[in-house]
mmCIF file of all heavy atoms in Angstrom:
data_model
loop_
_atom_site.group_PDB
_atom_site.id
_atom_site.type_symbol
_atom_site.label_atom_id
_atom_site.label_comp_id
_atom_site.label_asym_id
_atom_site.label_seq_id
_atom_site.Cartn_x
_atom_site.Cartn_y
_atom_site.Cartn_z
ATOM 1 N N GLU L 232 109.754 71.049 94.883
ATOM 2 C CA GLU L 232 108.389 70.549 94.591
ATOM 3 C C GLU L 232 107.437 71.074 95.794
ATOM 4 O O GLU L 232 106.504 71.719 95.636
ATOM 5 C CB GLU L 232 108.318 69.043 94.749
ATOM 6 C CG GLU L 232 107.147 68.419 94.309
ATOM 7 C CD GLU L 232 107.214 66.859 94.235
ATOM 8 O OE1 GLU L 232 108.229 66.381 93.775
ATOM 9 O OE2 GLU L 232 106.322 66.266 94.917
ATOM 10 N N GLY L 233 107.985 70.939 96.983
ATOM 11 C CA GLY L 233 107.340 71.528 98.166
ATOM 12 C C GLY L 233 107.340 73.105 98.143
ATOM 13 O O GLY L 233 106.363 73.694 98.385
ATOM 14 N N VAL L 234 108.372 73.673 97.838
ATOM 15 C CA VAL L 234 108.376 75.108 97.755
ATOM 16 C C VAL L 234 107.583 75.704 96.665
ATOM 17 O O VAL L 234 106.885 76.745 96.969
ATOM 18 C CB VAL L 234 110.039 75.592 97.693
ATOM 19 C CG1 VAL L 234 109.942 77.055 97.332
ATOM 20 C CG2 VAL L 234 110.825 75.200 98.800
ATOM 21 N N ILE L 235 107.589 75.120 95.497
ATOM 22 C CA ILE L 235 106.708 75.560 94.515
ATOM 23 C C ILE L 235 105.316 75.587 94.853
ATOM 24 O O ILE L 235 104.501 76.540 94.682
ATOM 25 C CB ILE L 235 107.008 74.876 93.061
ATOM 26 C CG1 ILE L 235 108.355 75.307 92.538
ATOM 27 C CG2 ILE L 235 105.849 75.232 92.198
ATOM 28 C CD1 ILE L 235 108.860 74.385 91.408
ATOM 29 N N ALA L 236 104.854 74.505 95.432
ATOM 30 C CA ALA L 236 103.445 74.329 95.838
ATOM 31 C C ALA L 236 103.112 75.482 96.722
ATOM 32 O O ALA L 236 102.031 76.093 96.694
ATOM 33 C CB ALA L 236 103.067 72.968 96.404
ATOM 34 N N ALA L 237 103.977 75.712 97.806
ATOM 35 C CA ALA L 237 103.686 76.663 98.800
ATOM 36 C C ALA L 237 103.754 78.075 98.325
ATOM 37 O O ALA L 237 102.955 78.914 98.668
ATOM 38 C CB ALA L 237 104.776 76.458 99.914
ATOM 39 N N VAL L 238 104.664 78.305 97.394
ATOM 40 C CA VAL L 238 104.695 79.571 96.780
ATOM 41 C C VAL L 238 103.358 79.930 95.920
ATOM 42 O O VAL L 238 102.860 80.997 96.034
ATOM 43 C CB VAL L 238 106.100 79.891 96.023
ATOM 44 C CG1 VAL L 238 105.903 81.072 95.045
ATOM 45 C CG2 VAL L 238 107.183 79.996 96.849
ATOM 46 N N VAL L 239 103.038 78.885 95.231
ATOM 47 C CA VAL L 239 101.690 79.129 94.538
ATOM 48 C C VAL L 239 100.582 79.545 95.534
ATOM 49 O O VAL L 239 99.799 80.348 95.162
ATOM 50 C CB VAL L 239 101.332 77.884 93.743
ATOM 51 C CG1 VAL L 239 99.952 77.904 93.158
ATOM 52 C CG2 VAL L 239 102.394 77.725 92.583
ATOM 53 N N GLY L 240 100.481 78.672 96.630
ATOM 54 C CA GLY L 240 99.604 79.030 97.644
ATOM 55 C C GLY L 240 99.684 80.604 98.150
ATOM 56 O O GLY L 240 98.688 81.265 98.337
ATOM 57 N N ALA L 241 100.996 80.867 98.322
ATOM 58 C CA ALA L 241 101.200 82.289 98.808
ATOM 59 C C ALA L 241 100.779 83.353 97.817
ATOM 60 O O ALA L 241 100.157 84.361 98.157
ATOM 61 C CB ALA L 241 102.716 82.478 99.116
ATOM 62 N N LEU L 242 101.047 83.028 96.449
ATOM 63 C CA LEU L 242 100.641 83.985 95.472
ATOM 64 C C LEU L 242 99.010 84.036 95.451
ATOM 65 O O LEU L 242 98.501 85.227 95.284
ATOM 66 C CB LEU L 242 101.111 83.571 94.131
ATOM 67 C CG LEU L 242 102.545 83.696 93.947
ATOM 68 C CD1 LEU L 242 103.094 83.013 92.594
ATOM 69 C CD2 LEU L 242 102.993 85.179 93.900
ATOM 70 N N LEU L 243 98.417 82.956 95.686
ATOM 71 C CA LEU L 243 96.855 82.955 95.670
ATOM 72 C C LEU L 243 96.531 83.807 96.775
ATOM 73 O O LEU L 243 95.442 84.752 96.710
ATOM 74 C CB LEU L 243 96.321 81.497 95.778
ATOM 75 C CG LEU L 243 96.402 80.687 94.554
ATOM 76 C CD1 LEU L 243 95.957 79.268 94.787
ATOM 77 C CD2 LEU L 243 95.640 81.277 93.371
ATOM 78 N N ALA L 244 97.091 83.566 98.003
ATOM 79 C CA ALA L 244 96.714 84.331 99.217
ATOM 80 C C ALA L 244 96.957 85.806 98.926
ATOM 81 O O ALA L 244 96.042 86.705 99.209
ATOM 82 C CB ALA L 244 97.531 83.927 100.346
ATOM 83 N N SER L 245 98.128 86.198 98.266
ATOM 84 C CA SER L 245 98.302 87.694 98.070
ATOM 85 C C SER L 245 97.329 88.247 97.090
ATOM 86 O O SER L 245 96.885 89.272 97.316
ATOM 87 C CB SER L 245 99.688 87.817 97.492
ATOM 88 O OG SER L 245 100.668 87.154 98.243
ATOM 89 N N GLY L 246 96.949 87.444 96.123
ATOM 90 C CA GLY L 246 95.994 87.977 95.124
ATOM 91 C C GLY L 246 94.723 88.117 95.775
ATOM 92 O O GLY L 246 93.986 89.275 95.613
ATOM 93 N N THR L 247 94.307 87.132 96.695
ATOM 94 C CA THR L 247 92.957 87.350 97.477
ATOM 95 C C THR L 247 93.012 88.615 98.266
ATOM 96 O O THR L 247 92.040 89.350 98.241
ATOM 97 C CB THR L 247 92.768 86.139 98.240
ATOM 98 O OG1 THR L 247 92.876 84.934 97.532
ATOM 99 C CG2 THR L 247 91.375 86.127 98.933
ATOM 100 N N LEU L 248 93.945 88.771 98.990
ATOM 101 C CA LEU L 248 94.081 90.052 99.817
ATOM 102 C C LEU L 248 94.089 91.263 99.030
ATOM 103 O O LEU L 248 93.416 92.274 99.499
ATOM 104 C CB LEU L 248 95.324 90.043 100.711
ATOM 105 C CG LEU L 248 95.372 88.824 101.729
ATOM 106 C CD1 LEU L 248 96.856 88.788 102.436
ATOM 107 C CD2 LEU L 248 94.269 88.888 102.691
ATOM 108 N N TRP L 249 94.728 91.312 97.947
ATOM 109 C CA TRP L 249 94.672 92.374 97.061
ATOM 110 C C TRP L 249 93.327 92.730 96.639
ATOM 111 O O TRP L 249 92.887 93.853 96.593
ATOM 112 C CB TRP L 249 95.612 92.222 95.767
ATOM 113 C CG TRP L 249 95.760 93.475 94.939
ATOM 114 C CD1 TRP L 249 96.660 94.436 95.082
ATOM 115 C CD2 TRP L 249 95.012 93.772 93.767
ATOM 116 N NE1 TRP L 249 96.398 95.366 94.199
ATOM 117 C CE2 TRP L 249 95.434 94.999 93.342
ATOM 118 C CE3 TRP L 249 93.928 93.208 93.206
ATOM 119 C CZ2 TRP L 249 94.841 95.626 92.146
ATOM 120 C CZ3 TRP L 249 93.410 93.767 92.019
ATOM 121 C CH2 TRP L 249 93.804 94.963 91.560
ATOM 122 N N LEU L 250 92.647 91.652 96.156
ATOM 123 C CA LEU L 250 91.204 91.902 95.696
ATOM 124 C C LEU L 250 90.381 92.443 96.739
ATOM 125 O O LEU L 250 89.532 93.321 96.708
ATOM 126 C CB LEU L 250 90.608 90.518 95.275
ATOM 127 C CG LEU L 250 91.070 90.023 93.948
ATOM 128 C CD1 LEU L 250 90.513 88.579 93.647
ATOM 129 C CD2 LEU L 250 90.917 90.896 92.831
ATOM 130 N N VAL L 251 90.565 91.940 98.016
ATOM 131 C CA VAL L 251 89.767 92.335 99.192
ATOM 132 C C VAL L 251 90.093 93.880 99.403
ATOM 133 O O VAL L 251 89.110 94.695 99.526
ATOM 134 C CB VAL L 251 90.171 91.642 100.502
ATOM 135 C CG1 VAL L 251 89.675 92.387 101.703
ATOM 136 C CG2 VAL L 251 89.652 90.263 100.430
ATOM 137 N N ALA L 252 91.287 94.298 99.326
ATOM 138 C CA ALA L 252 91.723 95.733 99.601
ATOM 139 C C ALA L 252 91.116 96.572 98.448
ATOM 140 O O ALA L 252 90.514 97.631 98.702
ATOM 141 C CB ALA L 252 93.136 95.946 99.685
ATOM 142 N N GLN L 253 91.230 96.008 97.164
ATOM 143 C CA GLN L 253 90.853 96.804 96.144
ATOM 144 C C GLN L 253 89.328 96.951 95.992
ATOM 145 O O GLN L 253 88.825 98.091 95.674
ATOM 146 C CB GLN L 253 91.357 96.168 94.800
ATOM 147 C CG GLN L 253 90.839 96.861 93.540
ATOM 148 C CD GLN L 253 91.916 98.135 93.264
ATOM 149 O OE1 GLN L 253 92.804 98.413 94.066
ATOM 150 N NE2 GLN L 253 91.643 98.698 92.155
ATOM 151 N N PHE L 254 88.660 95.967 96.042
ATOM 152 C CA PHE L 254 87.272 96.079 95.904
ATOM 153 C C PHE L 254 86.356 96.125 97.103
ATOM 154 O O PHE L 254 85.168 96.434 96.903
ATOM 155 C CB PHE L 254 86.854 94.826 94.971
ATOM 156 C CG PHE L 254 87.435 94.942 93.666
ATOM 157 C CD1 PHE L 254 88.389 94.024 93.398
ATOM 158 C CD2 PHE L 254 87.064 95.920 92.596
ATOM 159 C CE1 PHE L 254 89.094 94.131 92.124
ATOM 160 C CE2 PHE L 254 87.667 95.898 91.489
ATOM 161 C CZ PHE L 254 88.735 95.133 91.205
ATOM 162 N N TRP L 255 86.779 95.765 98.193
ATOM 163 C CA TRP L 255 85.964 95.937 99.431
ATOM 164 C C TRP L 255 86.352 97.069 100.235
ATOM 165 O O TRP L 255 85.556 97.932 100.504
ATOM 166 C CB TRP L 255 86.084 94.628 100.263
ATOM 167 C CG TRP L 255 85.027 94.468 101.331
ATOM 168 C CD1 TRP L 255 83.787 94.436 101.242
ATOM 169 C CD2 TRP L 255 85.299 94.356 102.718
ATOM 170 N NE1 TRP L 255 83.150 94.342 102.346
ATOM 171 C CE2 TRP L 255 84.038 94.162 103.426
ATOM 172 C CE3 TRP L 255 86.502 94.137 103.379
ATOM 173 C CZ2 TRP L 255 83.954 93.956 104.691
ATOM 174 C CZ3 TRP L 255 86.350 93.998 104.788
ATOM 175 C CH2 TRP L 255 85.049 93.946 105.387
ATOM 176 N N LEU L 256 87.613 97.120 100.737
ATOM 177 C CA LEU L 256 88.035 98.274 101.522
ATOM 178 C C LEU L 256 87.952 99.532 100.820
ATOM 179 O O LEU L 256 87.233 100.471 101.339
ATOM 180 C CB LEU L 256 89.496 98.024 101.935
ATOM 181 C CG LEU L 256 89.763 97.011 103.085
ATOM 182 C CD1 LEU L 256 91.200 97.077 103.502
ATOM 183 C CD2 LEU L 256 88.909 96.992 104.231
ATOM 184 N N ASN L 257 88.532 99.490 99.605
ATOM 185 C CA ASN L 257 88.377 100.848 98.886
ATOM 186 C C ASN L 257 87.136 100.868 97.895
ATOM 187 O O ASN L 257 87.018 101.878 97.201
ATOM 188 C CB ASN L 257 89.632 100.999 97.974
ATOM 189 C CG ASN L 257 90.799 101.186 98.939
ATOM 190 O OD1 ASN L 257 90.920 102.028 99.823
ATOM 191 N ND2 ASN L 257 91.819 100.232 98.838
#
Side-chain angles (χ1 to χ4, degrees):
Chain L
E232 194 178 311
V234 170
I235 288 172
V238 166
V239 171
L242 289 173
L243 287 176
S245 307
T247 308
L248 294 174
W249 185 85
L250 289 175
V251 165
Q253 177 79 0
F254 294 106
W255 191 56
L256 291 187
N257 293 301

